[in-house]
Amino acid sequence: MNPSAVRLFLEVAEAGSLSKVAARRQTVQSHVSRQITDFEAGFGGALFRRTGRGVVLTELGARVAGRLGPWLQETEQLALELRSASGQIAGQVRLGIIPTAAHPLTTRLFERLQAEHPGISLDVAEAQGTELDALLDSGAVDLAVLFRFAKPAGREEKLLCSASTYLVAAAGDELTREPTLNFAQLQGLQLVLPRRPSHWRHALDETARSLGFQLNAVAEADSLTVQKELVAHQPGLYSVLGPYAIAADLRASRLQASRLARPDLVRHVTLALPRHGKRSPACKVTAQAIQALVAGWGDRLTEP
């Protein structure tokens, strides 16, 4: 039984989509489909039923998934323990991360691990908060850096830093020359916002509704790059983003921004730990390295 093939099978079962898994692994759907077909051949029957919206487990597939999930976890844990017995911390750490934190955090984390623990490899999945929560629940990632609207209180999440919210416009915009703006001043503005469903989009819509108006989304995009490029090239168009997403653009004078107040929508960047099973030594070291990097930057997601 090949752990890599089992891991792919369980990932497709959790996602319910070959295309989602292909995008997450940065490969083509046909490659994932061939691997799943080869995996199914070893069981003498179909493990997935194709639908118009993706794939669902067959009765056989559900039985296989139920047995292979614990098997994979035990196999990976045994391999880590045997490596650790040699005195060297080694193993793969699957890290889920929001796009805002992808750089420089991931870059510096990789550099530190290579210097101090070259036996640890990173498998990085970049996704939004809702998808990262699903990956954590299914065990598809070991750690995740993501946004929360409330400070973490339990042992499963550690606060890294907090971030206010900004109205972002092209350089030279009159409205965003002010250091702060009330959220109510978004009324009537042409906005590019995240696509639904999204925790962040829901929070923005609910805040506007509580103040008696509706946000005017003339464009929607999940990509932070798309949102910023649209705003930078279209005077009179605005977006609502956090400071780490726009730091480099502000330094380059491509964008300008005002902090939103009344209310100040503060989000908390947290490090979410595994919800099921034990943390491997490699996972513990990686979590400590992430916390040390952010603390060393003055509790920020970007370098000073």
Side-chain angles (χ1 to χ4, degrees):
M1 192 66 68
N2 186 335
S4 296
V6 173
R7 192 177 298 113
L8 176 64
F9 162 69
L10 293 173
E11 192 174 344
V12 172
E14 179 273 324
S17 168
L18 296 172
S19 59
K20 284 183 180 179
V21 172
R24 190 181 297 159
R25 291 180 170 230
Q26 297 184 329
T27 186
V28 294
Q29 181 176 332
S30 58
H31 179 62
V32 175
S33 181
R34 282 195 301 272
Q35 289 179 287
I36 291 297
T37 299
D38 291 343
F39 188 74
E40 287 179 312
F43 290 89
L47 303 179
F48 291 103
R49 177 169 54 83
R50 275 65 173 175
T51 71
R53 305 177 69 176
V55 294
V56 295
L57 288 168
T58 62
E59 183 178 346
L60 173 62
R63 292 203 305 271
V64 170
R67 296 290 297 274
L68 288 184
W71 176 87
L72 180 63
Q73 188 174 39
E74 291 176 8
T75 300
E76 292 178 336
Q77 185 63 35
L78 175 60
L80 290 171
E81 290 173 359
L82 292 174
R83 291 192 195 104
S84 298
S86 68
Q88 179 185 20
I89 297 178
Q92 184 184 71
V93 176
R94 298 166 298 171
L95 174 65
I97 198 162
I98 48 177
T100 300
H103 178 77
L105 182 59
T106 305
T107 308
R108 299 294 177 250
L109 174 64
F110 177 77
E111 291 172 352
R112 175 171 290 201
L113 293 176
Q114 283 291 293
E116 299 177 3
H117 302 282
I120 297 177
S121 65
L122 288 178
D123 181 346
V124 182
E126 184 179 307
Q128 299 296 339
T130 305
E131 187 176 359
L132 287 177
D133 272 323
L135 293 175
L136 278 168
D137 287 335
S138 67
V141 297
D142 304 308
L143 301 169
V145 176
L146 69 171
F147 281 122
R148 296 292 190 211
F149 293 106
K151 287 185 178 181
R155 298 173 57 187
E156 294 178 342
E157 295 196 11
K158 305 293 184 182
L159 177 66
L160 294 176
C161 57
S162 299
S164 295
T165 301
Y166 291 79
L167 181 67
V168 182
D173 176 72
E174 288 293 329
L175 180 61
T176 52
R177 288 185 187 277
E178 299 296 326
T180 61
L181 294 170
N182 291 342
F183 193 95
Q185 291 177 263
L186 271 62
Q187 185 171 4
L189 296 183
Q190 292 189 316
L191 299 168
V192 51
L193 297 175
R195 296 170 60 242
R196 298 187 183 95
S198 156
H199 288 321
W200 181 227
R201 175 63 183 275
H202 177 73
L204 294 174
D205 287 338
E206 286 300 309
T207 302
R209 191 172 294 116
S210 71
L211 296 172
F213 70 97
Q214 186 173 354
L215 296 175
N216 178 28
V218 297
E220 297 183 349
D222 288 331
S223 166
L224 295 176
T225 300
V226 170
Q227 292 183 47
K228 293 189 294 183
E229 289 300 318
L230 286 173
V231 167
H233 289 89
Q234 184 64 47
L237 185 64
Y238 299 85
S239 191
V240 183
L241 299 168
Y244 306 121
I246 58 175
D249 300 279
L250 295 179
R251 288 195 297 269
S253 299
R254 294 185 69 249
L255 298 173
Q256 64 185 45
S258 295
R259 184 173 63 83
L260 289 173
R262 296 186 178 180
D264 182 2
L265 294 181
V266 175
R267 289 183 290 174
H268 306 285
V269 185
T270 71
L271 175 63
L273 306 174
R275 295 172 185 172
H276 308 288
K278 293 171 26 178
R279 276 186 287 164
S280 69
C283 186
K284 292 177 182 178
V285 165
T286 303
Q288 292 166 358
I290 291 172
Q291 293 175 86
L293 282 169
V294 175
W297 294 342
D299 298 324
R300 293 160 49 88
L301 273 187
T302 55
E303 296 169 297

